[in-house]
Amino acid sequence: MGSITKIGQIALPATDIMRATAFYKDRLGLQLLFTTETMAFFDCDGVRLFISLPEKEEFGHSSSVLYFHVEDIRLAYEEYKKKGIVFIDEPHMVAKMGQTETWMAFFKDTEDNMHALMSEVVVG
């Protein structure tokens, strides 16, 4: 029996594929692999992000939260704000484990999907 070794693709629903493609390409800066009339595929450091118009109504709802890792969350937060991304909060610590703090800042894409920037900071 085979075992799961990695995530191959993550799908997100969209209601406007052109608007969603522009958001992920131009605002978040993800590498666009290819598009069709109803789909867009991006590379996020080896994980493929699949944005699409839902094939069926039951797939047309907001998705799970994607956490995009950044090295410097404060710098990334300011840079993405300049690109027009509206955050629902500012970077803040959500957990501390030993010498490592986990920081997050949440935002929505143009299709109402919730996402976050995250950073793990070693302190001390």
Side-chain angles (χ1 to χ4, degrees):
M1 179 169 87
S3 60
I4 295 172
T5 59
K6 67 177 184 175
I7 294 174
Q9 179 169 287
I10 297 171
L12 289 175
T15 55
D16 183 322
I17 196 68
M18 300 278 289
R19 178 181 64 200
T21 299
F23 178 85
Y24 286 92
K25 179 178 177 279
D26 301 333
R27 292 194 187 170
L28 289 185
L30 297 182
Q31 178 189 358
L32 178 63
L33 298 172
F34 63 94
T35 61
T36 70
E37 289 183 12
T38 61
M39 299 179 276
F41 293 84
F42 295 89
D43 178 61
C44 189
D45 194 26
V47 176
R48 191 168 51 210
L49 182 59
F50 167 50
I51 312 296
S52 71
L53 299 179
E55 288 184 51
K56 297 179 180 178
E57 188 175 322
E58 60 262 29
F59 297 121
H61 54 81
S62 294
S63 68
S64 298
V65 177
L66 295 183
Y67 295 84
F68 293 99
H69 186 269
V70 296
E71 291 300 318
D72 184 331
I73 195 165
R74 293 182 197 280
L75 178 63
Y77 172 81
E78 292 302 327
E79 288 177 353
Y80 285 125
K81 276 179 56 176
K82 289 177 187 172
K83 290 184 173 186
I85 293 178
V86 178
F87 286 85
I88 63 168
D89 59 10
E90 294 185 0
H92 59 283
M93 184 175 56
V94 296
K96 183 171 182 169
M97 294 177 286
Q99 299 298 98
T100 304
E101 295 178 351
T102 301
W103 285 70
M104 294 187 187
F106 290 87
F107 64 94
K108 287 190 175 185
D109 69 9
T110 56
E111 309 308 297
D112 209 31
N113 296 299
M114 182 69 70
H115 301 309
L117 297 181
M118 70 172 287
S119 185
E120 294 181 328
V121 180
V122 178
V123 294

